[in-house]
Amino acid sequence: MSGWNHPEQWAAYCREETCPVCCRQGPSYILNVANLRASRLIAHERVALKGYCCLVVHRHAVEMHDLSPADAAAFMQDIQTVSRALKMVTGAIKINYEIHGNTIPHLHMHFFPRHIGDRFEGQPIDWRLVEPPVYQPGEFQEFVARLREALNHG
């Protein structure tokens, strides 16, 4: 579902003082994994693929061009840091990166670790086709602990 096709609501979301991300109005099940230089890494269990996480910029920005050159460079460094750690922790053969912002206009990047034989092999990831949970009991907590460790020593 897109938010930008409702102009008044979209305009309100685009302002820092009413942005749901800046106002921390996200769902309670979202876990803050790590605070990085220009962003924070979040994750949750209600996902399409194991190892999914999302990197959210600290400063309010809707598009990449809204970031200063220094903030953009720091965000790209955070992306590399997360990518490296996520590959190490999940053993992914490939990591897909997605930036949309169609629903919430606060710059963020989705990370999808891909594996041979995963549910979406050879096709785009479609959240609507997955009925959680994808994790076994305790598996998500173990993933987060390993990811934090990799981020701290990466």
Side-chain angles (χ1 to χ4, degrees):
M1 180 177 144
S2 295
W4 50 263
N5 56 359
H6 301 287
E8 290 178 14
Q9 180 182 359
W10 187 254
Y13 280 174
C14 286
R15 291 191 303 274
E16 182 175 359
E17 62 274 7
T18 51
C19 169
V21 173
C22 294
C23 296
R24 303 283 182 153
Q25 295 174 352
S28 60
Y29 59 81
I30 293 177
L31 178 66
N32 191 50
V33 175
N35 286 311
L36 304 171
R37 198 166 153 210
S39 57
R40 66 186 165 101
L41 185 64
I42 60 174
H44 59 86
E45 292 184 79
R46 301 174 187 181
V47 295
L49 289 172
K50 290 179 183 179
Y52 164 83
C53 51
C54 184
L55 195 58
V56 182
V57 295
H58 291 308
R59 294 182 186 209
H60 183 72
V62 176
E63 307 290 351
M64 285 291 292
H65 62 259
D66 294 334
L67 296 175
S68 70
D71 286 342
F75 184 50
M76 291 307 270
Q77 289 174 338
D78 290 352
I79 291 167
Q80 286 183 312
T81 298
V82 169
S83 174
R84 189 176 299 109
L86 195 56
K87 184 167 178 89
M88 183 173 61
V89 167
T90 66
I93 194 164
K94 171 72 177 92
I95 296 177
N96 287 8
Y97 310 88
E98 298 182 12
I99 296 178
H100 302 284
N102 291 319
T103 305
I104 301 294
H106 186 106
L107 185 59
H108 60 282
M109 176 177 279
H110 303 272
F111 293 77
F112 294 93
R114 302 301 304 267
H115 295 87
I116 294 172
D118 73 34
R119 179 178 175 102
F120 300 102
E121 186 175 13
Q123 63 183 326
I125 296 163
D126 186 347
W127 288 71
R128 297 169 294 185
L129 298 178
V130 178
E131 290 201 29
V134 298
Y135 289 102
Q136 296 299 316
E139 193 176 20
F140 174 71
Q141 292 76 11
E142 181 182 326
F143 160 68
V144 169
R146 291 181 63 218
L147 185 56
R148 284 178 172 151
E149 180 71 19
L151 288 167
N152 289 329
H153 293 96

